[in-house]
Structures are given as C-alpha cells and as structure tokens.
Amino acid sequence: MLKITFAMINLIIIALLIGSCIMTSRRKNKFRRQVIQVITMGIVTIFWYTIFLLTPMDNQRMAVFTMGMYYLSIDWLSFFLAEYSIVYTESETFTKIPCYILIVLSVIDGVGILINNFTGHVFHLEAAYYAGTNLSYWAAYFDMPYFLHLGICYIMIAFCYISLIRKTITAPGFYRKKYAVILALIVAVTVINAVYYTLNLPVDFSVLFYGVLGIAICYFTVYATPKHVIERTHSYVVEDVGNAIFCFDVDGKCVYINKAAKAIFGSWDETECMKKIEIVYRVEFEQKLHGEKDSEVWEGTKNIDGREHYFNFEYRNMRDRRGNSIGCFFKLEDKTDDVIRFKEEQYRATHDRLTGLYNRESFFEKAQEIIKACPETQMLLLASNIKDFKLINELYGLEMGDKVLLKQAELIRENLGENAAAGRISGDKFALLMPKNRFDEERFMKSVEQLCSLTENNTYKMHVYIGVYFVVDQDEAVETMYDKASLAIERVRGDYQQIITYYDDSDLEELIHEKNVVAEFDRAIANREFCIYLQPQVNCEGDALGAEALVRWQHPQKGLLFPGAFLGIIEKAGLIYKLDYYIWEMAAMKLAEWKKEGKGQYHISVNISAKDFYYLDLYETFTGLVEKYDIEPDKLNLEITETVIMSDVKMHMQIINRLQEYGFHIEIDDFGSGYSSLNTLKDIKADVIKIDMLFLRETENQTRSKTILNSIISMAKALNMPVITEGVETQNQVEFLSDMGCDMFQGYYFSKPIPVQDFEGNYLKAM
Ligand code: C2E
Ligand code: CA
Ligand code: CA
C-alpha cells in the first residue's frame, strides 16, 4: 500500500515536472538548457524508481534492472545538477577536464550497472520484510563497484555544494535567497538519501525531493525574481534618475523626493525639501489631482530661490486596484542649462559680438517687426558713419577703435526704449530705428560731441555723420531705408560742417544719376564723347604760352557736361584713369599736330588725379605717349595737386623725379589750398607753381590774401620756380600779380576754357 501511494505521488510529481519542463522551454532564459536537463533527468530518475517500486516481488530480474536504471539515472541527474549549479552560480570550477573525467566515470559506472544485470557485481536485491511489519521490499546489498557509483555521485554533488555555498555567501543580500533555497533542497536530498541507505529503509523518500528540487529549480531560475529586488531596483532607479521626482499623497503632503529633486530645491535635507515642494507645487497639486486627466506633460518655468528654471513637467495620478486615487507624482526634467545655452547661441547669432547690439540681419528683421507692429507711429531710421574710421585704428591702434565703437553703441543705446532697435551694420556703421517724436537733434549732436571727444587732444579730429530717413512706406524693406539714410551721408561726405543730414528724394536721384554715369562711361569713351577744352595760359602781355586741357563730355542727350557733373562719380567708381589717359592722349596728339605745323612752342597742361598713381605706371604711360607721338616732354605739362603729392610724398616724389629727369614739367596745381603748402616746397622742386584761385576770391580778408600771395610768389621766385596764377578775372588782379612777380596767368579775364579749334584760331601762331 505504501509503495502504491508513493508511486502515485511520484506520478503526480512527474506530471508536475513535465509541466515545468514545457513551461521552461517556452521561456527565454539563459539557463533554460541546464534547467530542462535537470528536470528531464529528474523525471527519468523518478520514473525508474516508480517502476522499481511497482515491480512484483517475484520478479527479481526486473527489480535489478529497474534499480540499475535508477542508479544510472542518478549518475546523470547528479551530473546535470552539477552543471546547472556551476553555470547558474557562474562558478568557474567545472572546467573542461574534470567535466570529461566525470562523464567518463559516469559512463564506466553506467556500463558496470548494466552488466550488473547479469553478474550482480555491483549490487543484488533480496526480498525482505520490513522489521515488525508485513511490508515486503527489495533489500539491496552492495559490492565494491557500487561505492564507485556512490563516489562519483557525491563528487558531483560536491560541485553543487561548492558553487552554491560560495555564491550564497558572496551574492548581494537579496539574491542570496535564490541560491540558498536550491542549496537547501540539494542538502535535503543528500541527507534523506544518506538516511535511506544507513537505515536501509524500504522506500527512498529522497526521490520525492528530486521532484521538489526540479520544480524549485525551475521556479527560482526561470520565474522568480525576488519582490524586494524589483522594489529595490525601482527605488534605486527613481532615486538616481536624472529627472527630479516627487510624490504627494492625497492630502498634498510630499511623501517622497529623489536626489535630483533635492538638488533642484537646493537642499539635501529631506524634510526641508519636502516642505518647500509642498509650498511651491501646491497650486499644481490641487489643479491636477482634482483635474480630469490622470497624466499630463507640459513645459514651463518655475522660480526656485530666485532662479528661473525651465522644466519639462510630467504629472501622473497614482491609483489603487479599485481606481481610487492614492496620490500623485511629478517628474521634472530640468532644461535650464539647455535653454540658457540655446539662448546664448541665439544671442550670439543675432548680436554683434563687440557692442552687443543687433547684427545686420537681425537689426533689419527686428526693425521690420517694430514697424509692422506700430502702424500708427511715424518712425525714422538713422544711419551713422565715422569719417575715415580706419584712421583711428591706424593712428591709435585697434583698442582705441574698439573703444570708440563701444562708446558709440552706448550712446545709441541711450536712445533706445519702446519701439526702437539698434544694430551694428558693419565696421563703424550703426543703425537706429525709433519713433520720430522721440528724436531730438540736439541730443544727438551732444552724443556726437561726446564721441568725438575720445580723440580730441590729438591732431586727428573725429567726424561723425548721421543720416536720417523718415519712414514713409511701412512695406519698404528696412535695408532700403538704411541705404537711403546712408545715401544722405554720401551727399555730405567730406563736408566737415555737416553732422546730421536728412535724406530727401534728390539723394536717390543723385544715386541714380551716379549709376547712370558709370553705366554710360564705357560707351562714352568708345564713342569719343569726351573732348578737351583748352584754357590759355598767358604771360602779362596776354600772349598764350600754352593751355590747360580740361575735360568736357559731349553727352548725346544732355549736351555739354562740365567736370563737376561727372568727374567725382567716375573717380569714385575707380574709372578716372581711363578718362585721364584718354585726355592725355588727345593732348599728346594735339601737340604732335602743332609740332608738325611749326607751332611746337606751345605747351598743354594735363591734370593727373590721385588714383592715377595707383592704377597706372605714370612713368611708362607718359614716356610712352611722348615716344608714340614724337613730341617734346617739356610741352606736355603735368598738373598734380598739392594734396595728392603730400598724401604720400615718398611714393609720388619718386615718380615725379623720374618724370622730371625725362624732361617733363611738373606743375603743382591748386597751390596754397592744402594744409602744408610750405612743406610741399621743401620736398619738391616743381617746374611751375600754380596758385589756387581761392586767393583771388573777393573776401573780407583781401589784404591778408594778398600778403600770402605775395610771400608765396616771392618764395617761389627765391626757389627759382615760375608761378602761374589761375582764376584771374580782372585787370586789377593781373596788375597786382604782375607787380608781385607772377609770370603767367590763367583765367576768365583772358579766356574761359574753349574748344580746341577756337584756341587754335585765336591764340596759335607759327614760330
Ligand atoms: P582745375 O584743374 O583747378 O581747373 C581749373 C578750373 O577752374 C576749370 O574748371 C576752369 O574752368 C575753372 N576756371 C578757370 N579760370 C577761372 C576763372 O577765372 N574763374 C572761375 N570761377 N573759374 C575758372 P573745370 O573745367 O570745370 O574743371 C574743374 C576741375 O576738374 C579742374 O580744376 C580739375 O581739377 C578737374 N579736371 C578737369 N579736367 C580734368 C581732366 O582731364 N582730368 C582730371 N583728372 N581732372 C580734370
Ligand atoms: Ca588743373
Ligand atoms: Ca587748379
């Protein structure tokens, strides 16, 4: 009866084990193979033992066979158990060699046990009655080889012990249990097994424990994760996660905060921190907990201890199984650093690094926004520009240049306010958009004065221009408005009296005119629209010695144009060298013609502009012309203004000297109009000094002018330089100039500049 009951239990256990085996095989687990091996072998072992138990007492052969199979199964069960323990505990004790040895020994043992069916050299069974009962059972008697089998099994079980004990000791607290349980079950199996043998019991109860062990292994290895491991893991994750997390209970009491939350709220004291959170988040708590949504995310700012924080907020309501709210938690991702960094980058991209004002593009954008936003407000746009700002850098160094720019930005900022924007457009160019009613010209003049005072005690005098444009059309691009304000500056550039100038439409017309001149220039040269007029240069008797060639443009539509109408524009456009060369060549051709006609005693003076020195090799050019047209160099006089020479004495003098050596006569044009006329004389030995017509203008200081004229002339005489005075308009002037010793005259008194043919007809005489 006992045996039948036991067998039934075994069958149930087998069924459970098969179930465990199937479930394990469906799970993804790195120990799956080992667990299946152990369970399968457990099933086999229990199976053979059950068959053994049910073997009729009269069939000894069958009993020996099934018992043998049971022993054999135990060999492999022990082997797989050892392998499982080692792999599961990640021990490295079961290296390949002991593993092979154990396999070989198990095989030998197995073969021995099979042979035992015929020889009975390992064990034999005899029917017996359990002491004091009528319970019959097979009593086993063992011979030597059986102890080999036992030994092998115990060695393998020893491997289990070693690895499991070691792991139970070293594993972190809450993992210890899962190793300890398995270890305890193996110990139980071993002990019960030992008791069975020692007491020679009729039934081996340890077999039951194989089943329990199998199920336990399956559960602990594949299924169970200790609950507190999960809890602890959760709490670690929550505690250490980068986002701040804090929980409220239903009454609004803060019950949990993690590390990040403490950091944000600036205190490691939990209670203090929780109190702070309760106060700071009271409103949110009330709104959310009693609101409709169980979860919500949003972005926002929060002022904590005076510092603005940018957060990604997340709110969650927590509910129990029945759906009742048990509290809520907030998760805050602190984006303050990112936002600040982003803002800084944005700032850098839209602002000028030095002054902190808007950069060009951003100013235009911002200004446009303001104009659009205030359609009722009359706006104006100011452009400012420092004359020859480069000079400040060159004379005083970059530091001073920066200082000036910073000061200017500061002064501009003072005019900001509502509906205004300021920007640095480039270099020393600034722009300011502001409502017209706030513009105060006087105030701006004062600002300019303040700025100019930075370089006051030096020879260089800073000059600032401000161009003002009144916004008429709000749809006009701000860039165009700025261009117009700058255009107003262009008009007065060079005029030191002007500071603030207002744009008017004639500025635009002027610009259009300039553009047209430049556009037409090449055509005009090609069509030979430019010609020379000659103005005689005469002696005191009125006899012409030569003439100055002055350019005129015979424009097909506009008629005869004077240099004032186009020369400056062409010069600015960098085209003057083309025009000058054209004029020089015409003069050279004329001289050649005269020479041929026997009138070679007359000279023609041509004008050289400052830029010619940079665009042309003047020595090559003039000697080339002289050679090409076979004329005398001393008949092609070169007029260079005093200011041009003085702008780079060294460079200019080198060229001038070479030209003089070749035979050209150099006339210093507009002498006396520059700043350092006397200095000029020190450096240059000119062939003719041409006194500026300013000295002859009717002014209040007539006597002073005369005194200066007198001394210039006598000084030139002393230096052996002939003098010509231009702009002579009256006989009186001719007389006093003659008295002072002036050699030649040029002026309306004698003749205006006239067409070449007229000059030839009126003045030229053959020698
Ligand atoms: P500039 O070289 O000083 O030429 C003298 C200017 O004074 C000429 O004006 C002439 O017409 C004017 N003028 C002569 N006598 C009198 C007078 O008694 N009273 C008054 N009020 N004016 C007098 P223009 O021809 O209009 O030339 C103006 C300037 O244009 C010239 O001044 C010269 O700097 C420049 N220029 C003329 N032609 C050329 C040229 O071919 N090349 C270059 N680079 N410059 C030229
Ligand atoms: Ca001249
Ligand atoms: Ca002149």
Side-chain angles (χ1 to χ4, degrees), residues 370-382 418-420 432-439 468-474 476 481 502:
I370 294 174
I371 293 169
K372 285 262 150 67
C374 331
E376 304 300 319
T377 319
Q378 163 78 67
M379 292 284 185
L380 53 80
L381 194 135
L382 287 102
E418 229 186 311
N419 300 332
L432 171 66
L433 176 92
M434 65 188 293
K436 187 182 167 192
N437 58 12
R438 287 220 310 268
F439 175 68
V468 185
Y469 174 71
F470 294 101
V471 179
V472 230
D473 175 7
Q474 298 186 329
E476 191 175 42
M481 298 177 190
Y502 295 83

Side-chain angles (χ1 to χ4, degrees), residues 535 548-552 562-564 567 576 580 583 607-609 612 639 669-670 693 697 726-729 746-749 753:
Q535 186 177 34
E548 178 179 4
L550 295 156
V551 67
R552 299 291 181 263
F562 282 70
L567 212 64
I576 189 77
D580 276 347
I583 299 293
N607 290 284
I608 297 176
S609 80
D612 293 336
E639 289 196 7
D669 202 356
D670 300 344
M693 60 182 90
R697 293 288 80 87
E726 60 179 337
V728 181
E729 292 181 345
Q746 183 183 340
Y748 291 176
Y749 176 71

Side-chain angles (χ1 to χ4, degrees), residues 305-323:
D305 293 336
R307 187 181 176 220
E308 192 84 338
H309 284 258
Y310 298 84
F311 292 121
N312 274 347
F313 290 96
E314 187 178 341
Y315 161 81
R316 285 280 176 96
N317 200 345
M318 298 187 288
R319 297 186 180 279
D320 66 9
R321 284 191 188 167
R322 270 175 280 157

